[in-house]
Every structure is written in structure tokens, then in C-alpha cells.
Amino acid sequence: MPETSLSNRTIDVYIRRYNPERDARPRWQRFTLAVARGMTVLDGLHRIREEQDPTVVFRYSCRMSVCGSCAMLINGRPALACNTQIADVASERLTLAPLPNFDIIKDLVPDLAPLFQKHRAVQPYIQRADMEEVEKPTGEFYQSPKELERYLQFAYCIKCGSCMAGCPTLAADPEYPGPMPLAQAYRYSADSRDSGFDERKVQAGASHGVFRCHYAGECSNVCPKGVDPARALQLMKRELVLDYLRLRRKRCPASVLRVPGEARRNPDVPAPPPYTV
Amino acid sequence: MASSTKHYPNRLGIVGWLLGGRWGLERYMYTLHRVTGLGILFYFVLHILVTSTRALGAEWWEGAMVRVGHPIFKIGEFLVFAAFVIHGLNGIRLIAIELGWAVGKAEEPVYPYRSSLHVQRPVLIGVMIVAAVFLALGGWDFLQVTH
Amino acid sequence: MRETKYWIWHLAAGVLILFLLGLHMAIMHLDSLFGAWGLNPSGGEAIAWNNVVARSRMAAMIVVYIALLGAALYHGFYGLRTIVFELGIGPALQKAVTVGLWTAGLCLFVLGAIAAIAAGRL
């Protein structure tokens, strides 16, 4: 498509507005927006705020799909406003709404507090018997690249809530933790430094736990970071089943990597430069 | 967090079972699995009650068979067969997925992302082909019987 | 953790149903094939009274019927419970649903099992 055809095209942008002080329920408001080449949805929102309506409220921070603040329903599908090009998703009409399955605070801002509460509930941190080593480390825990790979994909999660908005189970069942917290439960349980599976399996294996996932797959479809929560949840189910059948391999959490203390420098290898900080 | 501002509840509710998501084939299989399962269960409860009449003797049995001999029950029976084929084959796929056999290992996400959905997609396609074959055979048999 | 146990049985029952219901459907609908095996000795339709009596008297069929009955009731009612729970009902209602489905399931199982055993003496 030639560059000029994009630069001066105007599209209709429908934004779901809700002001808790004035509105009984959300309403749609239409704006017209001249779409420039390379304009993201977040850029478009800024443009509307600057030129048409300064009261449009949305949440954002980093503008580069790292912070996970700007997830919203873009043309009916959860995505980050900052890494969605308007030209990719809309030719005439763009609809923007807050993420469903979360309360609306104002306009496009969802209340993510339940997401963080559920995240905290699965104990998303390294748990070990020797917690003093975690609090006051004397060295680093040993972990091979293979062991890192077992959970690294799930560690890319930015907690934007897109998966929670796409999940059909979560649409009706508020007790279900949802794809993000359960994926994080697996991420820590799969970590070779961790031994907290026995605590996490209480939440994950509960009546409203991971077995309420039926692999509709939408969490993985919408994840802007390729985290694939659906995969993590199935692997968590597998761990729970193996654990129940007493087939789960018990492993000791990784130990601290000790460097040999009495090593002598090879005279052919130059010494490192002095510390600068 | 106690807050004085009023939040608008935006949970999709049961509508979300039909309208939430729906950007992938697996989403439709999720709905189909539920619908077929509920259909089979409904038939099954009736089936227990009807077939239990055989213990009461020939007259009861014949009477029950006359009552369920209506064409609408015959179509219903074919639908139950179809539901069983779909639910059973998709169930095999779900077991393979949920026990972690068909979702692959965690991998470094590289754009364009390839998720576990892509890993299990061949199983889904296979399931659909086998289901279609069974449904065609069953449908042929059904037409033979009714004509 | 109880849910893990329930769910594993749900899967196991599903696998069992796949075989037994497949067999049941084959016997009922591929009657010409199974006539030779003595499952439809009188010929004709599988639901004809004489064929029903002949099958009901076979010890193996009684076992198949009761196993299929139990597995299918468990699998179906656990599935229904899952769907009802996902409606987001409160804990009291959840308990009531569990108790109600267990009661209904056991009643249906007893009814079907008694019928299968009684029909064996026809």
C-alpha cells in the first residue's frame, strides 16, 4: 500500500466510556481519527485526548509492551494498545473497550486488583527450606540452561490481564484463579531452585483450581508476550496427577554454586580490570 | 482495598461461555464438548429409566419400545451417536493435552509466537477427520435403517 | 486436593466409557455383524425382546452393563457438576449440588444395577 494512502485516512474510533460519578452504565462514544502511518492504538488514544476530548481515561506506562498496563479490548479482542498498529486491525472502524472480567474503574481502565490478589495467592516466589540463603545469599543457586528453559517462557508474563479477559471459565466463575496466576504457579513449581510445589498444589488442585481449565486456548491466543498460559496449565495438571499417583519425581532444590576457593590464576590469562562501581 | 468510587462490574457471565474468546478452533471444540456432553447425559438418564423396564417383562419392554419408536426418537438416537463420536474423540484429544502429552515443552517465545495450540492442532484435525468418517458411516447406516 | 482425585477418576471413567459404549453401540446398531456371536440369537433388530433376553442372561453382558452404568453416571455427573460450578454459584449451593448429584447418581445406579441383575433371571 502506498504511503500516502495511509497518512490521511480517517477512521471511526468507538470508545467505551464510563464515568463512575455520572454514568449508570458504560456508553459508546464516537471519535474520528486521522490515522498516520505507524500509529499504534495508544498513539491514537493520545491524539484523541490531545485534540478532541481530554477526559478520555486510559492506563499506560512504558509504550513498548513491557509494563502490561495498556491491555484493552481492541476490536473485541484483548491486546496491548501500545503494540497494536491501527492499520493492522482497523480499516474503517476501531472499537476500544476495557478488559472484560474485571470491574471498570473509569473508561478504559479495569480494576486489576483481583488479578494481583489471585497472583499473590499462588505464592509466586522461590520457596525453600533454607530461606536464610534466599534472604541473605552467599552465592548463586546452580541452574543449568535446560532447567532454565523449563520455566523461562512463563516468566515472560507481564501480568497485563489479556488472558484473564479471554478466558471463558473466568467469565462466569470469579473463584477460578485464571490463566495468569495458575501459569505462574507452574512457573515457580517448575523452577529447579524451588521446593514449594506442596504449598502451591493446594490452590492449583482446589475445586476451583486448574481443573476448571478446559483448553479453550484463548489465553494463549491473546497473550502479547508468547507466554502460552494454556501450556503451563496443562503441565500443572500433569504435575498434580503425577503427584497424586506418587509418580512425581522428587528433586532437591538446587544448591548454591560454590566456586573453588583455592584456585590459582593461570599466568597466561590477564587479570580483570578493577571494579568501577 | 476499600474504595469510595463505584466500579462497574464487567464480568461477561454465562454469556462469556459463548461470546468470550472465540478466536481459535479450540474455543469452538470447548463449546461443542459441553453441548454434546450435556446432550448425552440427558439421553443417558432417560435411557436408564427406559431400559430398566426389561426387568419387568416382555409387555413393559414392548410398550416402552413402542413409545420410543417415534421417528423423533430415531433422529434423537442418531444425534446421540453423533454426540458420542464427537465427545469421545475430542475427549481423547483432551486427555492427551491435559496430561501434558500433546502441548509440547516450554520454549523460548520468538515472534510470531507458536503456542501449544499449534502443537496440538494436528491432533485436532485428525480428530475431526476421524469424527467425520464415523459420522458418515453412522449416517449411512441410519438412512439404511429408516428407509 | 480432592479435586485431583475426582478428576483422575473422571478421565479413567471416560476411557472406560469409550470402549464399553463403543461396544454397546456396535451391538445395538451393527446387529447383522453381532448376530453371529450369539448377541442377537433370534435375528432381526437388536431391541427385539428375544434378543434383549438373550443378552440380559449373559454374565459378561451384566458386568458390561453395570460397569458402563457406573462409569457413565460418574463421568456425566462430574461433568455436569463442573459446568454448574463454573456458573459462579456460592459455596452452600456448591455443596448442595454435589450432594444432590451424588444422590441422584446413586439412585440411578441402584435402579439400573437391580434391573440388570433382575433381567439376568428372565
Side-chain angles (χ1 to χ4, degrees), chain A residues 47-206:
Chain A
R47 184 63 60 86
I48 287 171
R49 233 174 103 91
E50 282 160 13
E51 294 175 355
Q52 299 181 46
D53 188 346
T55 66
V56 175
V57 178
F58 50 94
R59 188 192 272 145
Y60 77 100
S61 176
C62 75
R63 299 169 293 126
M64 46 191 245
S65 46
V66 171
C67 74
S69 304
C70 65
M72 58 183 71
L73 216 53
I74 300 173
N75 278 356
R77 188 182 164 123
L80 296 180
C82 65
N83 79 344
T84 306
Q85 297 273 319
I86 293 177
D88 283 350
V89 292
S91 54
E92 281 159 20
R93 186 190 159 101
L94 179 69
T95 63
L96 302 175
L99 287 182
N101 302 341
F102 295 108
D103 288 357
I104 307 173
I105 296 176
K106 198 171 186 180
D107 291 355
L108 300 174
V109 180
D111 177 18
L112 296 181
L115 173 140
F116 296 119
Q117 277 157 15
K118 287 170 172 176
H119 183 218
R120 206 170 293 132
V122 301
Q123 309 178 24
Y125 36 81
I126 296 287
Q127 299 224 53
R128 322 168 41 99
D130 55 342
M131 278 314 280
E132 63 274 21
E133 177 60 39
V134 177
E135 306 293 341
K136 291 192 180 113
T138 60
E140 56 188 271
F141 292 120
Y142 174 80
Q143 188 164 65
S144 71
K146 251 207 164 85
E147 287 168 336
L148 174 71
E149 223 168 68
R150 285 185 63 208
Y151 71 84
L152 183 63
Q153 175 174 33
F154 313 122
Y156 283 114
C157 174
I158 55 173
K159 284 86 188 169
C160 64
S162 292
C163 54
M164 312 283 273
C167 176
T169 302
L170 204 58
D173 184 0
E175 278 185 73
Y176 179 57
M180 186 284 277
L182 289 169
Q184 293 311 302
Y186 179 74
R187 174 253 175 271
Y188 282 94
S189 299
D191 193 319
S192 64
R193 297 165 295 181
D194 177 86
S195 61
F197 177 76
D198 286 337
E199 275 94 60
R200 284 186 208 102
K201 76 179 179 191
V202 179
Q203 270 104 8

Side-chain angles (χ1 to χ4, degrees), chain C residues 101-119:
Chain C
L101 288 179
W102 268 111
T103 315
L106 283 174
C107 288
L108 284 168
F109 180 75
V110 168
L111 171 71
I114 288 176
I117 292 164

Side-chain angles (χ1 to χ4, degrees), chain B residues 6-21:
Chain B
K6 162 182 73 126
H7 291 181
Y8 187 80
N10 195 25
R11 197 172 281 286
L12 292 171
I14 194 167
V15 175
W17 287 3
L18 284 174
L19 298 183

Side-chain angles (χ1 to χ4, degrees), chain C residues 11-92:
Chain C
L11 256 60
V15 174
L16 186 66
I17 292 166
L18 209 56
F19 287 106
L20 295 185
L21 188 54
L23 180 75
H24 180 58
M25 287 227 171
I27 290 172
M28 299 314 289
H29 296 289
L30 305 176
D31 19 25
S32 52
L33 180 67
F34 283 88
W37 294 10
L39 290 164
N40 288 318
S42 305
E45 284 202 45
I47 55 164
W49 174 245
N50 289 338
N51 290 331
V52 171
V53 171
R55 279 197 307 273
S56 293
R57 282 185 188 152
M58 295 165 80
M61 286 309 291
I62 295 176
V63 172
V64 166
Y65 281 142
I66 294 178
L68 181 56
L69 178 70
L73 278 171
Y74 179 78
H75 186 89
F77 278 21
Y78 178 83
L80 181 60
R81 176 177 168 274
T82 297
I83 294 176
V84 175
F85 272 32
E86 285 173 19
L87 287 170
I89 57 175

